[in-house]
Amino acid sequence: MRTRPLKVALLGCGVVGSEVARIMTTHADDLTARIGAPVELAGVAVRRPSKVREGIDPALVTTDATALLKRGDIDVAIEVIGGIEPARTLITTAFEHGISVVSANKALLAQDGAALHAAAEQHGLDLYYEAAVAGAIPLVRPMRESLAGDKINRVMGIVNGTTNFILDKMDSTGAGYQEALDEATALGYAEADPTADVEGYDAAAKAAILAGIAFHTRVRLDDVHREGMTEVSAADFASAKRMGCTIKLLAICERAADGESVTARVHPAMIPLSHPLSSVREAYNAVFVEAEAAGRLMFYGPGAGGSPTASAVLGDLVAVCRNKLAEATGPGESAYTQLPVSPMGDVVTRYHISLDVADKPGVLAQVATTFAEHGVSIDTVRQQGKDGEASLVVVTHRAPDAALSGTVEALRKLDTVRGVASIMRVEGE
């Protein structure tokens, strides 16, 4: 066993970073045995050096992350700063100085993953990021290593614990969106500004990463269709229950039927109670992977939090350190297929549409004609009327999303349609 330690620079020491440091210290002997050499926390770069960080030697703390990376003895950098800058510059600096990188930065990887992978490859170094997608859930490595010999056709999952907690509370208690959000905030599941979660930005970044790995093509954040969940209502859940469904915010990455393109999207959707994702409760995450040979696989567990995310970071650290000792690198970017990313309008989906209409003869026929004119077939219709007003709920068969969107716009123009109460896609069938 090598006695000279592998030296690690920790960039960021918040909730995740402090837990990484704690595990590195308390499990030092186990990590040494698993890697084949000691690992040493050689420096911790932070913005506020005066903050007390329990278990971390103050002598290791610095505000100059660049100097830490350039000092010449660092083997691996762990980046848990988040955001685009200075994380991007620091990771690039690490590669330039012969340092492999472990990152939990989903936003940066979704935006600039190709450039970072290219920099790592140029310098013969590793870039690992298991923690960027689903916390403690092993997902990135199984997809890019265990399933490397298979063909993945679809990835669908719940990849944001905050939104799942909110929707689960709305479903199980009948609470409204704001009430459920307030509870999530009080319990620490939601940030003071929950926009990144509830508007789907967090999930969209993860979808971009997953799609790139699954389909061996480059998918950027801008390629991902994104819709938030702030408009989901108690009435939507009532409609879902009547259909034997619940509602989840889903990240969905698909290979087209002809295999010539891919899509990536994030939006709320109704899914049948028979689907495994419907039973994912509280702030848990789960990802459903469909591959040709392996069939259907589901990965489930805590998708965020200090300890779960640190677990994924440390798993990557062990792998990268082993590679260092073997003078090798692990798998890098695989983008050989160069498949185009199709727009949302090309995606074939189903819609659940709730309309407020006039309660008079001929309304249903007029609505049905509008669907037919746009080439959309109706699966089921339910109508309830009272005092001259009525509610009309239509569930469609699968059709291109552009055709469904065009149908909705045409429905809004009918004089018998008072308004479109809600629109939601139906998935998982």
Side-chain angles (χ1 to χ4, degrees):
M1 179 180 289
R2 174 174 134 166
T3 57
R4 184 175 70 81
L6 291 158
K7 295 193 175 185
V8 177
L10 180 60
L11 310 179
C13 196
V15 173
V16 176
S18 59
E19 190 65 9
V20 168
R22 184 191 69 79
I23 296 173
M24 285 186 66
T25 302
T26 58
H27 294 180
D29 291 343
D30 287 335
L31 291 173
T32 297
R34 293 167 191 172
I35 291 169
V39 285
E40 174 186 316
L41 186 59
V44 181
V46 300
R47 286 185 298 176
R48 295 184 293 276
S50 60
K51 181 180 177 181
V52 176
R53 294 171 173 85
E54 186 177 349
I56 296 177
D57 183 352
L60 296 178
V61 176
T62 177
T63 57
D64 194 340
T66 301
L68 173 61
L69 295 172
K70 288 183 176 181
R71 73 185 208 184
D73 63 342
I74 302 298
D75 296 289
V76 181
I78 297 175
E79 184 273 307
V80 286
I81 298 171
I84 306 302
E85 289 291 356
R88 174 170 50 196
T89 298
L90 292 174
I91 290 175
T92 302
T93 299
F95 291 145
E96 291 170 350
H97 288 79
I99 302 168
S100 289
V101 174
V102 173
S103 176
N105 196 330
K106 54 188 170 287
L108 178 58
L109 288 160
Q111 178 172 305
D112 290 323
L116 295 178
H117 274 294
E121 183 177 1
Q122 177 187 350
H123 296 284
L125 298 164
D126 278 324
L127 173 61
Y128 275 51
Y129 44 90
E130 184 68 69
V133 175
I137 304 172
L139 184 60
V140 172
R141 197 170 299 143
M143 286 180 59
R144 73 175 185 174
E145 295 183 35
S146 302
L147 295 174
D150 208 338
K151 181 180 181 182
I152 297 174
N153 290 317
R154 196 167 197 247
V155 179
M156 181 171 77
I158 298 161
V159 294
N160 183 279
T162 300
T163 55
N164 199 58
F165 180 90
I166 293 170
L167 293 173
D168 181 49
K169 289 301 175 184
M170 292 177 70
D171 185 26
S172 61
T173 69
Y177 167 77
Q178 189 60 50
E179 183 183 352
L181 172 59
D182 290 344
E183 182 176 355
T185 303
L187 292 172
Y189 291 125
E191 302 286 345
D193 179 2
T195 302
D197 294 323
V198 300
E199 292 295 351
Y201 292 102
D202 175 86
K206 295 171 181 177
I209 295 169
L210 289 174
I213 296 170
F215 308 131
H216 303 277
T217 197
R218 286 177 178 166
V219 180
R220 300 181 74 251
L221 181 58
D222 291 345
D223 296 321
V224 181
H225 174 83
R226 177 196 55 79
E227 297 174 25
M229 48 159 278
T230 57
E231 300 301 317
V232 177
S233 67
D236 291 323
F237 274 100
S239 293
K241 287 182 178 180
R242 282 192 287 268
M243 289 179 59
C245 294
T246 189
I247 298 171
K248 300 290 186 182
L249 185 75
L250 298 178
I252 304 172
C253 312
E254 292 179 303
R255 190 188 300 269
D258 61 7
E260 297 300 315
S261 65
V262 300
T263 59
R265 51 195 165 105
V266 169
H267 54 72
M270 294 181 179
I271 58 172
L273 296 177
S274 58
H275 194 283
L277 291 177
S278 70
S279 61
V280 178
R281 308 297 300 275
E282 299 283 335
Y284 277 78
N285 285 191
V287 178
F288 205 68
V289 178
E290 299 179 24
E292 283 196 357
R296 296 182 173 186
L297 309 170
M298 192 167 93
F299 300 82
Y300 170 84
S307 293
T309 306
S311 171
V313 169
L314 267 296
D316 278 350
L317 176 64
V318 169
V320 169
C321 286
R322 286 171 175 170
N323 291 342
K324 281 279 184 180
L325 293 179
E327 299 182 350
T329 56
E333 182 189 36
S334 175
Y336 71 91
T337 63
Q338 299 183 27
L339 295 172
V341 182
S342 296
M344 185 63 193
D346 292 348
V347 176
V348 177
T349 64
R350 296 181 67 200
Y351 268 27
H352 174 283
I353 306 169
S354 180
L355 305 171
D356 294 325
V357 300
D359 188 13
K360 62 182 184 180
V363 172
L364 180 56
Q366 192 178 31
V367 168
T369 298
T370 302
F371 277 91
E373 288 173 347
H374 287 80
V376 178
S377 176
I378 293 175
D379 183 13
T380 62
V381 178
R382 186 178 69 255
Q383 183 174 6
Q384 293 178 322
K386 184 179 180 182
D387 300 328
E389 297 295 329
S391 171
L392 191 65
V393 177
V394 179
V395 180
T396 72
H397 285 293
R398 290 170 63 82
D401 200 81
L404 290 161
S405 297
T407 304
V408 172
E409 291 307 307
L411 290 170
R412 294 182 193 275
K413 297 175 182 179
L414 297 179
D415 57 5
T416 53
V417 174
R418 306 287 191 242
V420 179
S422 70
I423 308 167
M424 192 166 296
R425 294 177 184 87
V426 182
E427 299 286 347
E429 295 179 298

